[in-house]
Structures are given as C-alpha cells and as structure tokens.
Amino acid sequence: MVERDSDRSVSQTVRAQLSLRDLILSGDLRPGERISELQAVETTGASRTPVRMALVRLEEEGLLEAIPSGGFMVKAFSERDVLDSIELRGTVEGLAARFAAERGVSSRDLEPLKECLDEIDGLVRQDPISVEAFSSYVALNARFHALLTELSRSPPLIRQVDRASALPFASPSGFVMTQSTLPDARYTLLIAQDQHRVVIDAIENREGARAEAIMREHARVAARNLRLVLRNKTHSDLLPGLALIRMAGD
C-alpha cells in the first residue's frame, strides 16, 4: 500500500510538472507572472505535495524562479542566457566525444550511431525537406546525441550532459522545427549531418581533440538557428516558449 501511494504521488508530480510546463511554454503563464502553490493546485488538479515537488523541478529546469516571500515566478531569458546554455551543452558533449575517442570504441558500439546517420541521410536527401522529415529528424538527432554521450562510458559526464540538455532551449534539437521555415534549411541540416559523420570518424581514429572540437562547433548550429528565429518570428508557433526569450537590445 505504501509503495502504491508513493507511485501515485510520483505520477501526480509528473502530470503537474508537464501541465505547468505547457502553460509556461505556451505563453499562458507569462514571464514575471507569479505562481503560488495554491494556484498550481487549482490549475493542475493535483494535491499540494506533488504540486510542490513539480514547482521545485521546474525551478531546477530553469523555467521558474523562487520568490523570497513565497511562491515562484516565471523566468524570462535573455538571448545570452540561451546562447550560454547551448555553449555549455556543446562543451560537455565535446568532452563526451573526447572520452569516447581516447578510451576507444568498438565497431559494434558504433554500429547504432551509423545506422542512425543512415536514416538521417534518407531525410536530408529530400529537396525541399518536408516538415514531416524535419519532425523525424528531431527524434533521430536526439537518439544520435544520446548514443554518442553513452560512448564516453562516464556516468558522471552523462549526467552532466543530460542536465545541460535539459536547460531551457539548450537541447540538441531545440530549434530544428523552426529551422524548417528558413530558406537555407536543407543546407543547415547537411552541415549538421556532415559534422555527425566527422565526429564518428574522429572517434574511430581515436582523435580526442578533434572529436571534442567538432561537437563544440556542432552546438553552434543551434546558436545560429536561435539568432535567425529571434529575428524572424513569423513561425514562432514552432518554438514553444519563444516569448520567454528577450532579444539582445530589448
């Protein structure tokens, strides 16, 4: 019975967390808006303890900020905040790639990544690339990055990559769907895919510094897309939470 109650509490926490995150990213809860525990209970329908845990998790994600007088406030992000988060993610992913190269990886371990890249090749051959193909790319790109991180065989580093990727707008595929609306969308994907293949080549050849540098540069594709999206908001519906980001100079 105790275990069942615990499972129910965790489930309520996750549901409340997802519900509140959706409200933030959709703009229903705006930057600077205060969220009290009671308000969150009424909004999500969950009980107070799971809601309290959900609010703390959203603070850890960086979407909320605790208020000294009580409750939380929806955070706004500067363009620099997001660029720094992307750079941080690229740095730890680069370290993972270097570890993989220097520690050595078997052909068998690399096979899932190469299969993933073959699937991505099938998508980027389209000209123009459909929105559906971009959607498939998001899933395959996330898989590639996860598999690459696992090759480091470093649990502490894997945890740090996961934490960096969970920062608002910092995930490897954070701006892919908005990228699909840009004139050079296919060209950008081709560059990213070439970087995928080059980093695998560097790992196979045990070139740690090269593998690290490629992944750090690879993250800057997302930084480029962020700048383009912020300056062309005609398709902002493809990037939930865009209203939370303040452009440089705003």
Side-chain angles (χ1 to χ4, degrees):
M1 177 65 73
V2 173
E3 287 186 10
R4 191 173 302 166
D5 289 343
S6 175
D7 290 344
R8 187 179 301 115
S9 177
V10 170
S11 178
Q12 281 194 41
T13 298
V14 171
R15 284 201 300 271
Q17 183 181 356
L18 293 175
S19 175
L20 291 169
R21 184 194 288 136
D22 285 345
L23 290 172
I24 293 169
L25 295 180
S26 67
D28 290 331
L29 292 172
R30 302 187 62 78
E33 186 169 343
R34 185 176 182 276
I35 305 174
S36 68
E37 188 177 302
L38 180 59
Q39 175 190 358
V41 167
E42 294 173 349
T43 300
T44 64
S47 54
R48 295 192 70 158
T49 298
V51 160
R52 189 176 303 122
M53 294 174 65
L55 290 168
V56 169
R57 288 184 182 181
L58 289 169
E59 181 191 17
E60 291 171 350
E61 285 184 28
L63 291 174
L64 294 179
E65 182 177 350
I67 301 173
S69 59
F72 294 84
M73 180 177 67
V74 178
K75 282 188 68 174
F77 302 90
S78 69
E79 183 177 343
R80 173 52 56 193
D81 290 335
V82 181
L83 290 171
D84 286 351
S85 295
I86 292 170
E87 184 74 14
L88 175 60
R89 192 254 301 166
T91 299
V92 289
E93 284 189 325
L95 183 58
R98 178 161 71 84
F99 279 2
E102 293 177 348
R103 294 172 179 180
V105 176
S106 69
S107 298
R108 183 176 180 180
D109 288 337
L110 285 173
E111 198 58 38
L113 284 98
K114 291 183 176 180
E115 290 174 357
C116 186
L117 292 184
D118 287 342
E119 291 187 62
I120 294 175
D121 278 340
L123 299 176
V124 299
R125 287 192 193 103
Q126 296 183 23
D127 190 13
I129 301 177
S130 66
V131 173
E132 292 75 16
F134 268 95
S135 182
S136 297
Y137 178 91
V138 168
L140 289 169
N141 187 52
R143 174 170 168 74
F144 175 85
H145 281 257
L147 289 170
L148 182 68
T149 300
E150 289 171 8
L151 292 182
S152 70
R153 299 198 299 275
S154 172
L157 180 55
I158 291 169
R159 286 195 295 272
Q160 292 307 312
V161 172
D162 288 343
R163 290 183 65 181
S165 298
L167 291 170
F169 312 103
S171 75
S173 299
F175 297 96
V176 170
M177 290 309 298
T178 48
Q179 178 188 329
S180 68
T181 67
L182 301 174
D184 60 350
R186 182 170 181 269
Y187 174 71
T188 305
L189 278 195
L190 287 171
I191 291 174
Q193 177 68 343
D194 184 62
Q195 290 171 334
H196 287 156
R197 291 208 173 275
V198 173
V199 76
I200 293 304
D201 179 72
I203 290 171
E204 280 189 298
N205 290 294
R206 305 194 71 162
E207 299 172 309
R210 179 177 173 228
E212 181 173 18
I214 292 163
M215 289 309 293
R216 294 190 66 164
E217 187 63 30
H218 183 60
R220 290 172 184 167
V221 173
R224 171 186 178 276
N225 288 337
L226 166 65
R227 294 187 180 99
L228 290 172
V229 166
L230 288 177
R231 286 154 182 78
N232 179 10
K233 296 186 179 182
T234 54
H235 296 282
S236 59
D237 57 307
L238 294 174
L239 179 60
L242 186 62
L244 300 177
I245 305 176
R246 299 188 308 271
M247 286 178 57
D250 282 1

